[in-house]
Amino acid sequence: MTATVDDTWRPTRPAFRSRAVTHAGAVRRHNEDAFVDRPDLGLWAVADGAGGHESGEVASAAVAGALDSIPQGLPPGQVLQEVRTRLAATHVSLMERSGRRGPNVLMATTVVVLLAQQGHFACLWAGDSRAYLLRDGVLTQVSRDHSVVEDLLEAGAITADQAARHPQANVITRAVGAAPEVLDLDKRAGSLHRGDRFLLCSDGLCKALDDARIAELLAGDPEDGADRLIAAALLARASDNVTAVTVQVLPAAG
């Protein structure tokens, strides 16, 4: 009799509580942000489209759709590979689509992705959508903005106060769908701790709220943390689209 081997990876019981909310903001009429909320897979993402109405929203939706369709039952390493492969394919597809529209057409999007499973997390990103980690009351920015202003800050060419008012504050240096031809994602990984809280957000949120306010809102009831962050950004008259995805690590994940 031949034995049947079932090598499908089966995750343990759900170890995360997450919530995702997006809004056009206090000024704009169209929302070019998109998100992925897959606690069953340990996968979350935020994409902030660039290129204007019917371009930016198409790009962010393409990224979200590619990631959201990753099937269940894959081991963590394969999920990571699927994320990389699908983002790379979407990058090429968006560049081809924008090229067909004309030489000056941009159809691109930032992306920040959180993967969490088996006591570890990985964050991948391109652009200035951010990932934060609140641990033991201390807020840390996990990602680093791919932007002109961030490069100037790191070089010591401008101060933090000057950065907020810089004329190139919205210029990003990496995006899915924008040159170069090969997508370059940054990655940061670490261990999960019980009680960790992550926030993925588009830049419209972190430009409306400072780190102290983000930490305060993220530390509250995890059931509606994303709602609180969006409401506060709207109260602050956020001039851009705002998206927040909050993830709490439950005891089973630690």
Side-chain angles (χ1 to χ4, degrees):
M1 180 177 179
T2 303
T4 300
V5 178
D6 181 1
D7 60 0
T8 301
W9 181 77
R10 290 186 175 85
T12 56
R13 65 186 177 86
F16 308 98
R17 178 185 289 114
S18 62
R19 171 76 172 160
V21 182
T22 188
H23 194 283
V27 175
R28 298 196 177 186
R29 298 179 63 182
H30 300 291
N31 192 350
E32 297 180 62
D33 287 0
F35 63 78
V36 176
D37 183 13
R38 290 285 306 276
D40 60 304
L41 199 59
L43 169 64
W44 302 267
V46 166
D48 178 359
H53 183 45
E54 294 185 355
S55 290
E57 63 191 38
V58 171
S60 61
V63 162
L67 297 178
D68 202 30
S69 60
I70 294 176
Q72 290 182 311
L74 301 179
Q78 192 170 342
V79 175
L80 176 59
Q81 186 56 49
E82 283 286 328
V83 168
R84 288 189 177 278
T85 299
R86 288 167 182 248
L87 288 179
T90 304
H91 178 70
V92 172
S93 174
L94 288 173
M95 291 187 71
E96 291 175 347
R97 291 175 69 177
S98 60
R100 289 194 294 269
R101 290 191 177 188
N104 298 317
V105 174
L106 176 67
M107 185 182 290
T109 181
T110 69
V111 68
V112 58
V113 182
L114 174 67
L115 295 163
Q117 205 58 260
Q118 295 186 334
H120 295 85
F121 75 87
C123 178
L124 297 90
W125 72 95
D128 60 358
S129 290
R130 292 182 178 180
Y132 291 92
L133 167 61
L134 183 68
R135 175 177 290 169
D136 299 327
V138 178
L139 185 73
T140 302
Q141 185 177 328
V142 177
S143 59
R144 173 200 173 275
D145 293 353
H146 295 138
S147 67
V148 168
V149 164
E150 185 66 25
D151 290 345
L152 291 172
L153 273 171
E154 289 198 354
I158 60 174
T159 66
D161 287 341
Q162 290 172 327
R165 303 184 301 274
H166 197 277
Q168 292 181 296
N170 293 321
V171 179
I172 56 177
T173 55
R174 292 191 208 177
V176 181
E181 292 184 3
V182 178
L183 178 63
D184 186 11
L185 295 169
D186 270 353
K187 177 187 173 186
R188 185 175 175 186
S191 299
L192 294 173
H193 292 191
R194 295 181 182 182
D196 280 352
R197 297 189 185 188
F198 290 90
L199 166 65
L200 305 183
C201 65
S202 55
D203 69 320
L205 189 135
C206 52
K207 286 178 180 176
L209 305 174
D210 62 24
D211 285 4
R213 184 64 172 144
I214 289 174
E216 177 189 1
L217 295 165
L218 192 56
D221 186 344
E223 292 289 348
D224 58 357
D227 303 81
R228 287 195 306 274
L229 286 157
I230 296 299
L234 295 176
L235 190 62
R237 301 297 298 168
S239 60
D240 201 351
N241 306 149
V242 284
T243 299
V245 177
T246 55
V247 182
Q248 180 191 27
V249 180
L250 301 176

